[in-house]
Amino acid sequence: MAKKAKKAAKKTATKSPKKAAKKVAPKKAAKKAAKAAPKKAAKKAAKKSARKPNAAFMAPLTPSPALAEVIGTKPVPRTEIIKKIWDYIKKNKLQDAKNRRMINADAKLKTVFAGKGQISMFELAKVINKHVK
């Protein structure tokens, strides 16, 4: 019995300072986190506003007559051209059902795809590059 009592005494003696430290530590950590939160948010906002889009992507490009049938004749940036083509592909369900990376061409897209019936989505930017000025 004496051994058990000694072990219990050791456990309570070692735990009590730790428990007291644990009770104080979360309060201090919460105060530090509350002070640091606005600073972190300010840093993130500064990083987001510091990033500017590349001017080459934002320059308006004139589509060729074949591409104009799909996206319109108005000059638009390269990013918008790709978005409009994807909207057209999704609207007309031209993405291959089995292999989603492949795009099936309809009559309008076949002229843009240089007569190919199907291209990979990774080739799309390369094909579009030939149809803009």
Side-chain angles (χ1 to χ4, degrees):
M1 285 269 210
K3 286 183 181 180
K4 287 184 181 179
K6 284 182 183 178
K7 284 185 181 179
K10 281 184 182 178
K11 285 183 180 179
T12 56
T14 56
K15 281 189 178 179
S16 59
K18 287 182 183 176
K19 284 184 179 178
K22 284 183 181 178
K23 288 180 182 177
V24 174
K27 289 179 183 176
K28 286 183 180 178
K31 285 182 182 178
K32 285 183 182 179
K35 287 180 182 178
K39 290 178 184 177
K40 286 182 182 179
K43 283 183 182 179
K44 284 184 180 180
K47 284 183 182 179
K48 278 196 173 186
S49 63
R51 186 171 180 217
K52 295 178 183 172
N54 189 342
F57 283 119
M58 302 312 289
L61 301 169
T62 307
S64 69
L67 184 60
E69 290 181 24
V70 179
I71 65 164
T73 58
K74 194 175 186 182
V76 290
R78 185 178 304 274
T79 53
E80 290 296 318
I81 292 172
I82 298 296
K83 282 182 187 177
K84 287 183 179 187
I85 289 177
W86 272 108
D87 289 341
Y88 181 82
I89 290 167
K90 289 176 183 177
K91 177 183 163 192
N92 294 308
K93 299 177 184 175
L94 298 174
Q95 204 169 0
D96 194 54
K98 291 181 183 175
N99 187 356
R100 305 282 294 166
R101 288 180 284 186
M102 300 304 284
I103 300 165
N104 299 322
D106 63 352
K108 290 181 182 178
L109 282 181
K110 202 163 196 168
T111 57
V112 175
F113 295 168
K116 292 182 182 178
Q118 190 178 51
I119 67 162
S120 167
M121 66 172 60
F122 304 110
E123 296 175 60
L124 186 61
K126 184 174 121 179
V127 170
I128 297 308
N129 195 35
K130 295 176 183 175
H131 289 277
V132 293
K133 292 181 186 176

